[in-house]
Amino acid sequence: MGAAAAAVAVCGALVAVTGCRDAGGVREEGTAAVASPAPASPSASPPAPDAHPLGSGRSADPRTADAKAAADVVHLVKRDPKVARDIRDSLAACPAPSAGVPARPSASVDPYPVDRRAGRLTGKDATDLVVNVSTCADSVGIGSYVYRRVDGGYVNVFADEQPPVFAEIGDGTLKVTHQVYEPQDAVSNPSGEDVTTYRWNGTRFEEVSFSHRDYETDDGTGSGSHG
């Protein structure tokens, strides 16, 4: 399935959950990746108000420090003009789950639907932040960002807001995964995934590889089957 067709299928599956933003401003990288690498300009986004790394060194209690780090990242995302306004406006603490509904693993420390990871992507001397924003109800990824440390603050140097999306660090590269849906797929049961790998070239992220995996074909268990 091509990127355009995949985006249409995903929106069909997720419209009730995420509202599926218009893809305007989201740029295709190569033939199959959907992403929006941003230039590494110090004025790209406001610096984080805290020393590097965000939220560290505040408390001897790891839970308190982790909660502070989560709040710092949420503040960073909500102040970032490169993040879509609907994501910024809707980013809020998730409500407590109903009785019988399992809570997110980090909910007791971090009530926000934000996953943050630190690692080295843009240079040996700086620790970058990879931030994933998801929905509260279904944990569907709606935005993935990379923040580079510049002059004491954090600058947005990568953004992908085509759901469902999740970014992570792997062997010094940025790996961005999009789950792929056929029209009949439920949100909880995608048919496969597209994985795009990016590497920092000194000024921006460049796509270096792309792969597609069909869950049913790969594992032979029918995990992507329907009916």
Side-chain angles (χ1 to χ4, degrees), residues 27 36-41 44 82 156-159 200 203-205:
R27 183 153 54 93
S36 177
S41 166
K82 288 191 173 183
N156 184 334
V157 293
F158 182 92
W200 184 254
T203 58
R204 67 190 302 272
F205 283 97

Side-chain angles (χ1 to χ4, degrees), residues 1-9 28 31-34 162 194 210:
M1 179 184 293
V8 171
E28 282 199 0
T31 59
V34 180
Q162 184 62 52
D194 291 338
F210 172 84

Side-chain angles (χ1 to χ4, degrees), residues 7 20-27 34 162:
C20 268
R21 276 177 308 285
D22 187 331
V26 177
R27 183 153 54 93
V34 180
Q162 184 62 52

Side-chain angles (χ1 to χ4, degrees), residues 180 182 184-185 189-193 212-227:
V180 175
E182 298 295 343
Q184 68 271 33
D185 288 341
N189 190 32
S191 292
E193 65 183 24
H212 173 78
R213 174 189 174 197
D214 287 314
Y215 293 152
E216 182 177 9
T217 301
D218 283 1
D219 62 22
T221 64
S223 63
S225 62
H226 314 287

